[in-house]
């Protein structure tokens, strides 16, 4: 599942490299690109390189990374499902490592803080990432030191259990997914990644993430909404106070 928003300069390269890597592995696969209401040529370019193994889903209004991944997950039918950012920041050669790790895990999470990871990030982003993860661990009980790497792999049955409880649409989506996974005692394995990224989050997005994390902690620790609903087949969608 490859969410994409205004990445016209890299989306073709991301799709082709991912497709080429998957072709070299011995299993059937599908790449689902979800155009999250891009205002540039992302959708057009993605559709131009679609084929029997590449499918493009799209909608007109930007909804957020979490919403895009949810749409992709709903439309996936394979035993294993991999989330991968469409901006090409993460080297696709780690795909095989993620898929192999699912042989003994429910979820595989890429981590910038793994000792074998190769990471090129601005100093400010490293500092913000560390502070963010300290806050996440304190608020949610997640034991991982990195929740935000866009590369994650799931067994399909595990993903279905988690997604029925997810309500976050934006960047804190990863935190909510892993909070629910921790609550449900899913087996999580951390693997190294190779990342090269010079982008920084805007102040607006940082504030949104903080508010969403407070909402996750509220549902987890005060309302105990996740605990009350995880055994229900159709728990009903939780409506956050602020819907970004």
């Amino acid at each position: 599942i490859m969410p994409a928003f205004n990445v016209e300069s890299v989306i073709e390269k991301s799709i082709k490299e991912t497709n080429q890597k998957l072709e070299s592995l011995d299993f059937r696969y599908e790449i689902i690109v979800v155009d999250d209401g891009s205002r540039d040529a992302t959708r057009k370019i993605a559709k131009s390189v679609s084929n029997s193994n590449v499918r493009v889903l799209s909608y007109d209004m930007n909804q957020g990374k979490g919403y895009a991944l949810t749409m992709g997950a709903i439309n996936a039918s394979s035993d294993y499902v991999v989330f991968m950012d469409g901006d090409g920041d993460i080297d696709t050669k780690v795909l095989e490592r993620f898929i192999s790790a699912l042989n003994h895990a429910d979820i595989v999470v890429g981590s910038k803080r793994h000792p074998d990871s190769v990471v090129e990030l601005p100093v400010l982003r490293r500092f913000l990432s560390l502070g963010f993860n300290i806050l996440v661990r304190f608020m949610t009980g997640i034991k991982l030191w990195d929740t935000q790497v866009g590369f994650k792999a799931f067994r399909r049955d595990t993903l279905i259990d988690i997604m029925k409880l997810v309500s976050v649409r934006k960047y804190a989506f990863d935190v909510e997914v892993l909070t629910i996974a921790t609550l449900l005692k899913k087996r999580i394995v951390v693997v190294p990644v190779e990342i090269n990224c010079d982008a920084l989050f805007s102040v607006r997005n940082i504030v949104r993430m903080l508010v969403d994390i407070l909402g996750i902690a509220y549902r987890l620790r005060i309302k105990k909404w996740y605990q009350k609903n995880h055994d229900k087949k159709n728990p009903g969608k939780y409506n956050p106070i602020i819907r970004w």
Side-chain angles (χ1 to χ4, degrees), residues 202-241:
S202 67
V203 172
R204 181 184 182 189
N205 284 335
I206 291 172
V207 171
R208 285 182 170 184
M209 290 178 74
L210 292 175
V211 173
D212 278 341
I213 290 169
L214 288 173
I216 293 167
Y218 175 73
R219 292 191 287 281
L220 176 71
R221 300 190 183 278
I222 307 299
K223 292 281 290 186
K224 299 192 180 299
W225 187 86
Y226 302 119
Q227 295 90 323
K228 293 174 182 176
N229 286 278
H230 72 79
D231 286 331
K232 296 180 181 178
K233 186 174 182 179
N234 296 301
K237 206 65 177 172
Y238 185 92
N239 292 314
I241 295 173

Side-chain angles (χ1 to χ4, degrees), residues 59-113:
Y59 39 86
D60 293 333
M61 184 176 295
N62 176 248
Q63 300 286 345
K65 175 186 172 183
Y67 184 90
L69 288 170
T70 300
M71 290 299 295
I74 290 171
N75 284 275
S77 57
S78 58
D79 295 330
Y80 294 166
V81 179
V82 178
F83 290 168
M84 177 183 174
D85 286 345
D87 55 16
D89 286 339
I90 302 175
D91 197 312
T92 54
K93 69 183 180 183
V94 303
L95 264 172
E96 189 170 6
R97 182 187 304 158
F98 273 70
I99 295 166
S100 297
L102 282 173
N103 290 326
H104 50 86
D106 298 312
I107 304 171
V108 182
V109 177
S111 175
K112 297 185 293 295
R113 298 183 65 82

